[in-house]
Amino acid sequence: MHRRKFIQLTATGTGGMLLLPHFLTAQHLWTAHRAATENVLVFIQLNGGNDGLNTFIPFDNPLYYFNRPTLGISKEKVTSTINGMGFHPALKDLATILQEGQLTVLQNVGYPEPNRSHFRSQEIWQTASSTNEYIDYGWLGRFLDIQCQDEILPSLNIDTVDNLALKAANANGMTVKDLNRIKNYATSGNELMLSDNPQLDFVRKLQFASLEGMDEINKALQHSQRFSASYANNPLSKNLEWIAKLIKGNLNSKVYYTALNGFDTHNNQLLSHQKQLTIMNDAVYSFYKDLKENHLLSRVTTVIFSEFGRRVKENGSGTDHGTAGPVFIIGGNNKGKIMGSNPNLSQLDKGDLIHEIDFRSVYATLLHDKFKFDPKLINIQQDPIRGLF
């Protein structure tokens, strides 16, 4: 494999670092255990700070329209209303998933002493750190180091950049930009040839580990060809289609990650936010229908979140960086209900929502309920949320 094509195709390890594969390490940092179940987590990260108040809308609260005379979504347009809340009209299919009992909405999710920087808040969400704590490895990477270190490909990130959440000390995750190109490579005929040059051997070992992961992906894609499904035509939809193919093809990855950009709506929010929500709605609903038709909804839990919400009061044509917002959980035998109080618009912190649910409690629930894993092993001290699954 040519070096340029190798680098363009994939990053070995996550977080922008080249890490020694598990079978090359002198010792394990933690005891490895195989995954306790066949459950799968799929994360969709909405980059830029999604406006939660215009996503799951408190249409029955007059303060919503008082603070958003221009950007407020009218009551007549809000869909699937329940308990004073309802979805943006672009999310009509997410509303359908809620009505079918396969979607849980967690309201007012955030963390204490919120940081309004995109980079830092994403880092906090991806490492499950406190505001003033800096952690080298991602929360999912730390989990995979303990639970899935012996797996060839425990995690897969379909994106143009690595994701810190998956950065691990030993578990071999992979970031893939385009799975179409991965079909051109396989491990056959690529034996691990060592030399007397340690630097060259290191690169060869990394390449071999990546080829092994790519071979597993190819096998899964070939197996899943008999399962066809129709997807919406947008980039997020394509990424989710690839993830569905790999799950249907029995790839043994436990965690999949992808992202959708474009949620930093400081101006022209009505049009730009509607566009991004439509992309998300169409992609997620295609993915949902595919999993449902193939009887995979109980196994696959999809989590949709953003690094923060937006300020309650509009700035004229948009909204500025805020704090708490909703998190959506689809599938995985969730209870299909609204959890948490409706956004309290009369009690704000410097113009921002006060969080009610700590996002690390969401993580604790996913690890505990889906993998029978103790979140305290990776220093998540928050208790799981009762009644989510």
Side-chain angles (χ1 to χ4, degrees):
M1 181 187 295
H2 294 294
R3 177 179 177 274
R4 180 176 296 176
K5 289 185 177 179
F6 174 69
I7 293 174
Q8 287 176 343
L9 177 69
T10 180
T12 304
T14 55
M17 296 184 66
L18 293 176
L19 305 175
L20 272 173
H22 155 63
F23 65 87
L24 300 172
T25 54
Q27 60 182 2
H28 303 166
L29 296 184
W30 292 281
T31 302
H33 298 283
R34 292 187 64 83
T37 73
E38 292 185 352
N39 284 323
V40 173
L41 298 179
V42 177
F43 292 89
I44 303 172
Q45 183 172 312
L46 307 180
N47 289 327
N50 177 47
D51 183 7
L53 287 176
N54 271 25
T55 300
F56 195 56
I57 303 165
F59 70 92
D60 211 24
N61 190 331
L63 289 175
Y64 167 70
Y65 295 102
F66 174 80
N67 284 285
R68 298 185 170 203
T70 303
L71 298 183
I73 307 299
S74 67
K75 295 182 181 181
E76 294 75 21
K77 293 182 178 179
V78 175
T79 185
S80 190
T81 60
I82 179 172
N83 214 21
M85 302 293 296
F87 285 99
H88 188 287
L91 299 177
K92 56 182 177 55
D93 293 321
L94 257 69
T96 298
I97 301 174
L98 177 64
Q99 292 165 359
E100 293 180 356
Q102 298 290 349
L103 167 64
T104 288
V105 181
L106 300 172
Q107 301 200 90
N108 310 308
V109 182
Y111 55 92
E113 301 177 5
N115 190 299
R116 293 167 182 80
S117 159
H118 293 296
F119 177 81
R120 179 56 187 152
S121 193
Q122 286 180 0
E123 184 178 41
I124 290 168
W125 276 77
Q126 291 167 357
T127 61
S129 69
S130 61
T131 302
N132 299 316
E133 180 185 20
Y134 294 85
I135 301 176
D136 290 334
Y137 298 107
W139 74 277
L140 288 166
R142 303 197 304 273
F143 156 68
L144 294 171
D145 268 332
I146 298 174
Q147 192 87 339
C148 303
Q149 193 183 38
D150 288 334
E151 303 292 344
I152 293 176
L153 194 64
S155 68
L156 182 64
N157 177 39
I158 302 181
D159 204 348
T160 57
V161 295
D162 292 329
N163 194 295
L164 178 58
L166 300 173
K167 182 181 174 184
N170 289 294
N172 297 310
M174 183 181 288
T175 292
V176 178
K177 299 178 183 180
D178 183 358
L179 271 83
N180 274 313
R181 297 177 61 191
I182 215 167
K183 295 178 182 178
N184 298 324
Y185 301 96
T187 58
S188 58
N190 290 281
E191 292 99 0
L192 182 60
M193 302 293 293
L194 298 183
S195 69
D196 56 0
N197 185 326
Q199 288 79 16
L200 178 60
D201 288 346
F202 177 74
V203 174
R204 284 176 173 172
K205 291 169 184 177
L206 291 173
Q207 178 175 325
F208 186 81
S210 287
L211 285 169
E212 190 177 28
M214 286 186 271
D215 193 40
E216 292 298 305
I217 291 174
N218 270 318
K219 291 176 183 177
L221 291 176
Q222 291 169 10
H223 180 70
S224 69
Q225 286 178 355
R226 56 194 175 94
F227 304 100
S228 61
S230 177
Y231 273 75
N233 184 24
N234 65 62
L236 177 62
S237 188
K238 177 54 66 177
N239 289 353
L240 292 176
E241 183 178 8
W242 283 120
I243 291 173
K245 285 180 178 179
L246 294 171
I247 295 172
K248 290 182 290 186
N250 296 320
L251 185 68
N252 203 34
S253 298
K254 296 296 180 283
V255 178
Y256 296 86
Y257 223 105
T258 192
L260 177 64
N261 298 325
F263 288 90
D264 196 14
T265 52
H266 288 282
N267 50 58
N268 194 32
Q269 175 168 316
L270 280 177
L271 291 177
S272 62
H273 195 226
Q274 178 172 333
K275 177 183 176 182
Q276 297 312 107
L277 290 181
T278 299
I279 291 172
M280 189 259 282
N281 173 84
D282 295 350
V284 169
Y285 194 56
S286 296
F287 186 61
Y288 166 78
K289 289 190 297 180
D290 193 359
L291 296 177
K292 188 175 182 180
E293 290 169 5
N294 286 283
H295 310 288
L296 290 168
L297 266 181
S298 61
R299 279 188 54 209
V300 181
T301 305
T302 302
V303 183
I304 307 171
F305 74 99
S306 190
E307 72 265 27
F308 47 63
R310 315 296 294 188
R311 293 184 70 81
V312 173
K313 189 174 183 60
E314 66 177 53
N315 64 24
S317 66
T319 50
D320 298 321
H321 298 177
T323 53
V327 169
F328 302 115
I329 309 286
I330 297 174
N333 288 327
N334 74 84
K335 298 299 184 182
K337 56 186 180 181
I338 313 301
M339 304 188 73
S341 305
N342 291 353
N344 187 342
L345 303 184
S346 61
Q347 187 177 355
L348 304 176
D349 180 13
K350 300 176 182 178
D352 288 319
L353 294 173
I354 300 173
H355 88 279
E356 178 183 357
I357 298 174
D358 193 304
F359 75 94
R360 289 158 293 198
S361 294
V362 182
Y363 292 172
T365 310
L366 295 170
L367 296 177
H368 179 270
D369 291 7
K370 299 290 102 179
F371 298 109
K372 309 302 179 187
F373 182 86
D374 181 2
K376 290 183 172 56
L377 292 174
I378 59 170
N379 201 33
I380 292 180
Q381 304 299 327
Q382 288 75 12
D383 292 330
I385 301 169
R386 294 183 179 180
L388 177 53
F389 297 105

